[in-house]
Amino acid sequence: MTPHAQLDWQDGQPVSLAFGDVYFSRASGLDETRHVFLRHNRLAERFAALPAHGQFTIAETGFGTGLNFLCAWEHFLERAPADARLHFISAEKFPLTPRDLAQALALWPQLAGLAQQLLAQYQSLPPGWHRLLLNQGRVTLTLLIGDVLEVLPEVDARVDAWFLDGFAPSKNPDMWQPQLFQTMARLSAPGATFATFTSAGFVRRGLSEAGFAVSKTAGFGHKREMSHGHLQTLPDGGWSPPWFARPARRHGERSAIVIGGGIAGAASAYSLACRGWQITVVERLPELARGASGNPQGVLYAKLSPHFTPLTRLILSGYGYSLRTLRAQLPEDDAHWRGCGVLQLAHDAAEAERHDGLAGAGFSPDVLKRVDAQEASELAGVELPHGGLFFPQGGWVNPPALVRKLVEHPNIQVRTSRTIVELDYNPLDKSWVAIGDEGSVAIGSVVILAGAAETGAFDATQHLPLKKIRGQVTVARATTQSEALRTVLCGEGYISPARFGEHCLGATFKFNTEDLGVNLFEHQENLHMLAGLAPCLYKALGGEALLEKALSGRASLRCTSPDYLPIVGPVAHAQSLIDTYLPLSKDATLQLNDAAPWIDGLYVNTAHGSRGMITAPLSGEMLAALLEDEPAPVARSLMQATHPSRFLIRDLMRNKLPPRG
């Protein structure tokens, strides 16, 4: 796990205690960045030459104080066309705390406007990928928290310019390795450039051996020489599974039909609308967010594994992204959301052991911290029988409020009470028509199926292994005593602080039923859960007498997958995929190269289970990255772990596919 950077402030400037080196030139960090990274990557002319809707990707080794990013951002705004987009990817092993970052950036008042935008979204960052949207989404910053030699190979992008930064090779030799230069070459777009402040011989040789043409030129300040150059020889990229490759980018009309009006559909629509796409959201119910996204209070928390499974890594990235989305989109009040913190209570021995593992994993206390029963009670405002993990940044959100806000974008149209029964594709103009009972409902170049389990209702997607799980929440009137609850409490279920005089608690998990009626038995289950989680709160609400009151609630069907990861990405022809990669059924180690048989322009975003408020917003960015051929917001392995084709490929490799009928 990665702690924050430890700094020594010398003459008002930050120095790394771990590396004993400065973050930027003592003479002028701003001028150094402009000389080394902007000028010698020729960014002024390259930004100016971008076409309409063009994009440019910069990758950096060492985010540090963010100075290089702010300078590139400022330069981009000055030179690039108004509809162009900048993607900045930066790896950082020891991220600065928000307080230290603010102190460092205060050294450059001329960048204050951009710095404030960055600081507004920059929080304590756990390990993994963190996507920040700036300048109304025109600029994306993807921070990779971890060792650069581990995180950079997981990048899914084509890089136009490299900022080869970081502490000096003599101070940080572990970074300046041949593996780094080879990864740079593999991720580079044709004609990619690099610049670095160092002219060390082994660095220049390593870059040259990786395929870069390397030149030396005058350095900045006391540094006599620096290095810069461009990719001269495209490396052999090596084999990668073609069934996870990106479909070719679609050109022409940028329009999409999004089927499903919950958080997955709204997030998919919003991410594309911010990129200039015209979107039609189609919902079968009379209003948006009436299904699983319709509960009055959804919990914003991260149930993690200390083993950092793919699901844990996705949750960590999605947790931060959802919180940043809420801060940017909605006021923090009882109608919309509250960052009141979340307590995950250790309600049994297994849960306590999991908490111990996470508490020892080195997270910043701004992200999570272990608390005993007394501390938990003080945080919650009510007496609790157990301690657990406290997530200070977590809280609750009213999901319908976020859904409605996301689809307010001027590029989004909404059509409700429309059930799509057929999808018709025209290969001549490469367009899709969504057809309802009364005819055509919407036309677009792309279709995104985001209607939970209804995603599998079409011929092209019926192979997806979607599972429905009924969940009922209970809504109970708050009392004077229960109003004292200040944080969300989670264990086997959850209860939220009062919203408009009511607590929301639940939710049940019921398989093999699609009944959406609210029943007394599941109210009883939720109350039993509360009695174990917080006995004093159960009593404060009325205890056993609660069942005799007119409790309200709602039931909905969650949609999940066999591995509990969402399903996000392009859809392939199922039988053609099986036929293409059938040799895997006899030898799963084969490195096949046949292209996947994609269904042109068909994508899905579904199976978020009970974690939709955490994983669905980020999944919208994942889809946008695929459709716009942008850098992915998560690691390459996570893009593959959530890919729609993963189930068919796994069954092939295990020789478990049923015989053809």
Side-chain angles (χ1 to χ4, degrees):
M1 294 298 300
T2 307
H4 284 121
Q6 302 299 308
L7 304 183
D8 180 24
W9 292 88
Q10 299 178 6
D11 300 322
Q13 295 192 336
V15 176
S16 168
L17 289 176
F19 296 98
D21 201 2
V22 296
Y23 277 88
F24 43 77
S25 167
R26 293 186 183 275
S28 174
L30 196 60
D31 290 338
E32 179 185 42
T33 290
R34 288 169 175 165
H35 174 80
V36 174
F37 298 112
L38 305 190
R39 185 178 308 163
H40 287 91
N41 274 299
R42 298 181 286 105
L43 294 189
E45 56 263 42
R46 295 171 78 187
F47 286 164
L50 287 172
H53 300 293
Q55 51 185 309
F56 195 92
T57 299
I58 298 171
E60 176 185 53
T61 57
F63 186 71
T65 64
L67 176 60
N68 294 342
F69 167 61
L70 293 183
C71 287
W73 181 5
E74 178 188 53
H75 214 49
F76 182 78
L77 295 181
E78 292 171 347
R79 306 290 179 132
D83 59 1
R85 294 173 59 85
L86 174 65
H87 305 283
F88 197 98
I89 305 165
S90 187
E92 177 57 63
K93 188 173 184 180
F94 300 108
L96 270 65
T97 64
R99 181 177 178 178
D100 284 339
L101 187 69
Q103 184 174 343
L105 294 181
L107 295 169
W108 303 290
Q110 58 270 61
L111 297 174
L114 302 184
Q116 287 306 312
Q117 288 191 56
L118 172 61
L119 290 167
Q121 295 201 40
Y122 187 93
Q123 303 290 322
S124 294
L125 300 173
W129 265 238
H130 301 279
R131 169 63 61 92
L132 282 66
L133 302 184
L134 303 152
N135 251 138
Q136 292 76 51
R138 188 181 172 203
V139 174
T140 62
L141 170 63
T142 306
L143 289 172
L144 320 180
I145 306 303
D147 188 299
V148 67
L149 297 183
E150 296 175 3
V151 297
L152 200 61
E154 283 268 45
V155 167
D156 185 356
R158 278 285 170 259
V159 177
D160 298 300
W162 289 92
F163 291 5
L164 187 48
D165 202 359
F167 297 111
S170 60
K171 305 282 188 178
N172 186 21
D174 290 345
M175 186 192 92
W176 302 84
Q177 297 291 326
Q179 178 188 342
L180 170 62
F181 310 134
Q182 292 159 9
T183 301
M184 287 172 57
R186 180 179 61 79
L187 294 176
S188 290
T193 61
F194 80 90
T196 179
F197 61 86
T198 184
S199 63
F202 80 94
V203 172
R204 290 186 285 111
R205 288 190 296 274
L207 286 162
S208 179
E209 290 168 0
F212 290 92
V214 183
S215 299
K216 287 196 299 183
T217 191
F220 177 81
H222 72 277
K223 294 179 180 175
R224 188 177 64 178
E225 294 177 317
M226 58 162 282
S227 305
H228 66 103
H230 63 275
L231 185 66
Q232 189 173 46
T233 306
L234 285 171
D236 178 2
W239 181 83
S240 60
W243 46 86
F244 292 143
R246 296 186 179 206
R249 185 179 180 185
R250 296 171 60 84
H251 296 281
E253 184 181 88
R254 300 160 82 226
S255 61
I257 307 165
V258 176
I259 300 176
I263 185 60
S268 302
Y270 181 78
S271 287
L272 287 174
C274 288
R275 289 157 170 84
W277 283 58
Q278 298 298 313
I279 311 296
T280 303
V281 175
V282 183
E283 167 57 44
R284 63 184 177 85
L285 297 173
E287 297 177 13
L288 299 180
R290 287 279 297 273
S293 298
N295 289 343
Q297 289 173 288
V299 181
L300 298 162
Y301 78 111
K303 188 165 185 179
L304 309 173
S305 163
H307 304 295
F308 281 77
T309 62
L311 181 57
T312 287
R313 291 187 290 130
L314 181 67
I315 287 173
L316 280 173
S317 293
Y319 177 59
Y321 184 80
S322 290
L323 290 171
R324 288 188 290 274
T325 299
L326 284 169
R327 295 186 190 108
Q329 297 289 339
L330 294 175
E332 188 175 354
D333 57 30
D334 278 355
H336 300 94
W337 76 288
R338 289 284 188 190
C340 57
V342 173
L343 276 165
Q344 286 185 24
L345 301 181
H347 54 85
D348 59 29
E351 191 74 350
E353 183 178 355
R354 184 177 70 85
H355 289 187
D356 288 341
L358 287 166
F363 283 101
S364 162
D366 292 339
V367 177
L368 70 84
K369 62 180 179 180
R370 193 80 155 90
V371 294
D372 60 24
Q374 180 179 344
E375 292 170 309
S377 299
E378 291 171 355
L379 288 166
V382 298
E383 184 181 352
L384 297 173
H386 307 288
L389 297 177
F390 181 55
F391 292 77
Q393 299 173 7
W396 62 263
V397 61
N398 175 244
L402 180 57
V403 168
R404 289 192 297 266
K405 182 62 178 178
L406 292 176
V407 300
E408 279 180 7
H409 195 286
N411 289 351
I412 299 176
Q413 297 182 45
V414 176
R415 295 176 184 167
T416 56
S417 299
R418 311 288 180 90
T419 298
I420 303 304
V421 296
E422 185 180 352
L423 295 171
D424 186 32
Y425 178 69
N426 185 339
L428 296 178
D429 60 6
K430 295 187 175 182
S431 67
W432 287 88
V433 180
I435 302 170
D437 291 327
E438 299 179 359
S440 173
V441 174
I443 300 174
S445 63
V446 164
V447 171
I448 297 171
L449 300 177
E454 284 72 26
T455 295
F458 301 96
D459 290 343
T461 50
Q462 62 182 355
H463 66 281
L464 295 175
L466 302 175
K467 298 193 296 183
K468 296 178 182 179
I469 305 175
R470 172 191 156 93
Q472 179 176 310
V473 297
T474 299
V475 177
R477 293 297 302 174
T479 65
T480 302
Q481 294 79 14
S482 74
E483 290 271 10
L485 180 63
R486 294 196 295 263
T487 69
V488 177
L489 303 181
C490 293
E492 292 183 307
Y494 73 89
I495 182 170
S496 298
R499 173 181 182 261
F500 298 139
E502 295 181 328
H503 295 281
C504 183
L505 58 144
T508 58
F509 278 76
K510 300 296 177 184
F511 296 89
N512 303 318
T513 178
E514 297 186 22
D515 177 20
L516 295 181
V518 175
N519 64 68
L520 186 63
F521 176 75
E522 289 181 55
H523 279 326
Q524 188 172 17
E525 278 193 43
N526 286 333
L527 294 175
H528 179 74
M529 174 277 299
L530 178 61
L533 186 69
C536 75
L537 197 56
Y538 173 67
K539 292 177 182 177
L541 286 170
E544 294 180 4
L546 269 170
L547 283 176
E548 300 172 6
K549 297 182 179 180
L551 293 171
S552 62
R554 69 186 302 273
S556 60
L557 297 177
R558 311 175 187 92
C559 172
T560 189
S561 71
D563 58 14
Y564 297 102
L565 283 161
I567 302 176
V568 184
V571 179
H573 291 274
Q575 191 58 56
S576 296
L577 187 92
I578 293 169
D579 294 342
T580 300
Y581 302 120
L582 191 59
L584 294 175
S585 63
K586 296 182 178 179
D587 184 354
T589 67
L590 289 175
Q591 295 187 353
L592 305 177
N593 292 302
D594 300 85
W598 305 118
I599 299 176
D600 189 32
L602 184 61
Y603 291 76
V604 295
N605 185 0
T606 190
H608 294 276
S610 58
R611 304 179 181 89
M613 298 310 299
I614 296 299
T615 57
L618 181 62
S619 295
E621 283 293 290
M622 293 163 64
L623 281 184
L626 293 172
L627 285 162
E628 287 282 275
D629 198 23
E630 297 176 355
V634 297
R636 183 188 303 268
S637 58
L638 281 183
M639 295 293 283
Q640 296 178 358
T642 56
H643 198 285
S645 295
R646 67 187 189 267
F647 304 104
L648 288 177
I649 293 297
R650 288 173 190 169
D651 285 347
L652 261 176
M653 290 180 168
R654 298 165 183 168
N655 199 19
K656 289 176 60 177
L657 286 170
R660 295 182 68 166

